[in-house]
Coordinates of all heavy atoms in Angstrom, one line a residue:
K1 N -6.4 -13.0 -3.9 CA -5.8 -13.1 -5.2 C -6.3 -12.0 -6.1 O -5.5 -11.3 -6.8 CB -6.0 -14.4 -5.8 CG -5.3 -14.6 -7.2 CD -5.6 -15.9 -7.8 CE -5.0 -16.0 -9.2 NZ -5.4 -17.2 -9.8
E2 N -7.6 -11.8 -6.1 CA -8.2 -10.8 -7.0 C -7.6 -9.4 -6.7 O -7.3 -8.6 -7.6 CB -9.7 -10.8 -6.9 CG -10.3 -12.1 -7.4 CD -10.5 -13.1 -6.3 OE1 -9.9 -12.9 -5.2 OE2 -11.1 -14.1 -6.5
A3 N -7.5 -9.1 -5.4 CA -7.0 -7.8 -5.0 C -5.5 -7.6 -5.3 O -5.1 -6.6 -5.8 CB -7.2 -7.6 -3.5
R4 N -4.7 -8.7 -5.1 CA -3.3 -8.7 -5.5 C -3.1 -8.4 -7.0 O -2.3 -7.6 -7.4 CB -2.6 -10.0 -5.1 CG -2.5 -10.2 -3.5 CD -1.6 -11.3 -3.2 NE -1.7 -12.5 -3.9 CZ -2.5 -13.5 -3.6 NH1 -3.2 -13.5 -2.5 NH2 -2.6 -14.6 -4.4
E5 N -3.9 -9.1 -7.8 CA -3.8 -9.0 -9.2 C -4.2 -7.6 -9.6 O -3.5 -6.9 -10.5 CB -4.7 -10.0 -9.9 CG -4.1 -11.4 -9.8 CD -5.0 -12.5 -10.4 OE1 -6.2 -12.2 -10.7 OE2 -4.5 -13.6 -10.6
L6 N -5.3 -7.1 -9.1 CA -5.8 -5.7 -9.4 C -4.7 -4.7 -9.1 O -4.5 -3.7 -9.9 CB -7.1 -5.4 -8.6 CG -7.6 -4.0 -8.8 CD1 -8.1 -3.8 -10.2 CD2 -8.8 -3.8 -7.8
M7 N -4.1 -4.8 -7.9 CA -3.1 -3.8 -7.5 C -1.7 -4.1 -7.9 O -0.7 -3.4 -7.6 CB -3.2 -3.7 -6.0 CG -4.6 -3.3 -5.5 SD -5.2 -1.8 -6.2 CE -4.0 -0.6 -5.8
G8 N -1.4 -5.2 -8.6 CA -0.1 -5.6 -9.0 C 0.8 -6.0 -7.9 O 2.0 -5.8 -7.9
I9 N 0.3 -6.5 -6.8 CA 1.1 -6.8 -5.6 C 1.7 -8.2 -5.9 O 1.1 -9.2 -6.2 CB 0.2 -6.9 -4.3 CG1 -0.4 -5.5 -4.1 CG2 1.0 -7.4 -3.1 CD1 -1.4 -5.5 -3.0
Q10 N 3.1 -8.2 -5.7 CA 3.8 -9.4 -5.9 C 4.5 -9.9 -4.6 O 4.7 -9.1 -3.7 CB 4.9 -9.2 -7.0 CG 4.4 -8.7 -8.3 CD 3.7 -9.8 -9.0 OE1 4.1 -11.0 -9.0 NE2 2.5 -9.5 -9.6
P11 N 4.9 -11.2 -4.6 CA 5.6 -11.7 -3.4 C 6.9 -10.8 -3.2 O 7.6 -10.5 -4.1 CB 6.0 -13.1 -3.7 CG 4.9 -13.5 -4.7 CD 4.6 -12.3 -5.5
G12 N 7.1 -10.4 -2.0 CA 8.3 -9.6 -1.6 C 8.1 -8.1 -1.7 O 8.9 -7.3 -1.3
D13 N 6.9 -7.7 -2.2 CA 6.6 -6.3 -2.2 C 6.5 -5.7 -0.8 O 6.0 -6.5 0.1 CB 5.3 -6.0 -3.0 CG 5.4 -6.1 -4.5 OD1 6.6 -6.2 -5.0 OD2 4.4 -6.0 -5.2
T14 N 6.8 -4.5 -0.6 CA 6.6 -3.8 0.7 C 5.4 -2.9 0.6 O 5.2 -2.1 -0.3 CB 7.8 -3.0 1.0 OG1 9.0 -3.8 1.1 CG2 7.7 -2.3 2.4
L15 N 4.5 -3.1 1.6 CA 3.3 -2.2 1.7 C 3.4 -1.4 3.0 O 4.1 -1.8 3.9 CB 2.0 -3.1 1.7 CG 1.9 -4.1 0.5 CD1 0.6 -5.0 0.8 CD2 1.8 -3.4 -0.8
I16 N 2.7 -0.3 3.0 CA 2.7 0.5 4.2 C 1.3 0.3 4.8 O 0.3 0.4 4.1 CB 2.9 2.0 3.8 CG1 4.3 2.1 3.3 CG2 2.7 2.9 5.1 CD1 4.7 3.5 2.8
L17 N 1.2 0.2 6.1 CA -0.1 0.1 6.8 C -0.3 1.4 7.5 O 0.5 1.8 8.4 CB 0.0 -1.1 7.8 CG -1.3 -1.3 8.6 CD1 -2.5 -1.7 7.7 CD2 -1.1 -2.4 9.7
L18 N -1.4 2.0 7.2 CA -1.8 3.3 7.8 C -3.0 3.0 8.6 O -4.0 2.4 8.1 CB -2.1 4.4 6.8 CG -0.9 4.7 5.8 CD1 -1.4 5.6 4.7 CD2 0.3 5.3 6.5
G19 N -3.1 3.5 9.8 CA -4.3 3.3 10.7 C -4.8 4.6 11.3 O -4.0 5.4 11.7
D20 N -6.1 4.7 11.3 CA -6.7 5.9 11.9 C -7.9 5.3 12.7 O -8.8 4.6 12.2 CB -7.2 6.8 10.8 CG -7.9 8.0 11.4 OD1 -9.0 7.9 11.9 OD2 -7.3 9.1 11.4
A21 N -8.0 5.6 14.0 CA -9.1 5.1 14.9 C -10.5 5.4 14.3 O -11.4 4.6 14.5 CB -8.9 5.6 16.3
E22 N -10.6 6.5 13.7 CA -12.0 6.8 13.2 C -12.2 6.4 11.7 O -13.3 6.0 11.3 CB -12.2 8.3 13.2 CG -12.3 8.8 14.7 CD -12.5 10.3 14.8 OE1 -12.9 10.9 13.8 OE2 -12.2 10.9 15.9
R23 N -11.2 6.3 10.9 CA -11.3 6.1 9.5 C -10.9 4.7 9.1 O -11.2 4.2 8.0 CB -10.5 7.1 8.7 CG -11.1 8.5 8.9 CD -10.3 9.5 8.2 NE -10.4 9.4 6.8 CZ -9.7 10.1 5.9 NH1 -8.8 10.9 6.3 NH2 -9.9 10.0 4.6
G24 N -10.2 3.9 9.9 CA -9.9 2.6 9.6 C -8.5 2.4 9.1 O -7.6 3.2 9.4
L25 N -8.2 1.3 8.4 CA -6.9 1.0 7.8 C -6.8 1.2 6.3 O -7.8 1.0 5.6 CB -6.6 -0.5 8.1 CG -6.5 -0.9 9.6 CD1 -6.4 -2.5 9.6 CD2 -5.4 -0.3 10.3
A26 N -5.6 1.5 5.9 CA -5.3 1.6 4.5 C -4.0 1.0 4.2 O -3.1 1.0 5.1 CB -5.3 3.1 4.0
I27 N -3.9 0.3 3.1 CA -2.6 -0.4 2.8 C -2.2 -0.1 1.4 O -2.3 -0.8 0.5 CB -2.8 -2.0 2.9 CG1 -3.5 -2.3 4.3 CG2 -1.5 -2.7 2.8 CD1 -3.8 -3.8 4.4
P28 N -1.6 1.1 1.3 CA -1.1 1.5 0.0 C 0.3 0.9 -0.3 O 1.0 0.6 0.6 CB -1.0 3.0 0.1 CG -0.7 3.3 1.5 CD -1.5 2.2 2.2
P29 N 0.7 0.7 -1.6 CA 2.0 0.2 -1.9 C 3.0 1.3 -1.5 O 2.8 2.5 -1.5 CB 2.0 0.0 -3.4 CG 0.9 0.8 -3.9 CD -0.1 1.0 -2.8
K30 N 4.2 0.8 -1.1 CA 5.3 1.7 -0.7 C 5.6 2.7 -1.8 O 5.9 3.8 -1.6 CB 6.5 0.9 -0.2 CG 7.6 1.7 0.3 CD 8.7 0.8 0.8 CE 10.0 1.5 1.2 NZ 11.1 0.6 1.5
S31 N 5.5 2.2 -3.0 CA 5.9 3.0 -4.2 C 5.1 4.3 -4.3 O 5.5 5.3 -4.8 CB 5.8 2.2 -5.5 OG 4.5 1.8 -5.7
S32 N 3.8 4.3 -3.7 CA 3.0 5.4 -3.8 C 3.5 6.6 -2.9 O 3.1 7.7 -3.0 CB 1.5 5.1 -3.5 OG 1.4 4.8 -2.1
F33 N 4.5 6.3 -2.1 CA 5.1 7.3 -1.2 C 6.5 7.7 -1.6 O 7.1 8.5 -0.9 CB 5.0 6.8 0.3 CG 3.7 6.8 0.9 CD1 2.9 5.7 0.7 CD2 3.2 7.9 1.5 CE1 1.6 5.7 1.2 CE2 1.9 7.9 2.1 CZ 1.1 6.8 1.9
D34 N 7.0 7.2 -2.7 CA 8.4 7.5 -3.1 C 8.7 8.9 -3.1 O 9.7 9.4 -2.6 CB 8.6 6.9 -4.5 CG 8.9 5.4 -4.5 OD1 9.0 4.8 -3.3 OD2 8.9 4.8 -5.5
H35 N 7.8 9.7 -3.8 CA 8.1 11.2 -3.9 C 8.1 11.8 -2.5 O 8.9 12.7 -2.3 CB 7.1 11.8 -4.8 CG 5.7 11.9 -4.3 ND1 4.8 10.7 -4.3 CD2 4.9 12.9 -3.7 CE1 3.7 11.1 -3.7 NE2 3.7 12.3 -3.4
I36 N 7.2 11.4 -1.6 CA 7.2 12.0 -0.2 C 8.5 11.6 0.5 O 9.1 12.5 1.2 CB 6.0 11.5 0.5 CG1 4.7 12.0 -0.1 CG2 6.0 11.9 2.0 CD1 3.4 11.4 0.4
F37 N 9.0 10.3 0.4 CA 10.2 10.0 1.1 C 11.4 10.8 0.6 O 12.2 11.3 1.3 CB 10.5 8.5 0.8 CG 9.6 7.5 1.5 CD1 9.2 6.4 0.9 CD2 9.2 7.7 2.8 CE1 8.3 5.5 1.5 CE2 8.3 6.8 3.5 CZ 7.9 5.7 2.8
K38 N 11.4 11.0 -0.7 CA 12.5 11.8 -1.3 C 12.5 13.2 -0.9 O 13.5 13.8 -0.6 CB 12.4 11.7 -2.8 CG 12.8 10.3 -3.3 CD 12.7 10.2 -4.8 CE 13.0 8.8 -5.3 NZ 12.8 8.6 -6.7

């Protein structure tokens, strides 16, 4: 809950899961990639 509140994650939000065998996992919000998608 504390992480969801800090990051503004709401039910129904889409997150992206990025994985790197050496660096681990990252879960940024999809909106952080909007400009890249465009």
Side-chain angles (χ1 to χ4, degrees):
K1 179 181 177 185
E2 296 89 348
R4 293 191 316 266
E5 289 175 346
L6 176 67
M7 301 307 298
I9 298 170
Q10 299 293 319
D13 284 354
T14 300
L15 305 175
I16 296 173
L17 179 66
L18 304 173
D20 182 286
E22 294 180 16
R23 298 175 69 190
L25 297 174
I27 309 175
K30 185 177 174 186
S31 61
S32 67
F33 288 87
D34 283 351
H35 67 285
I36 295 171
F37 290 139
K38 289 177 183 175

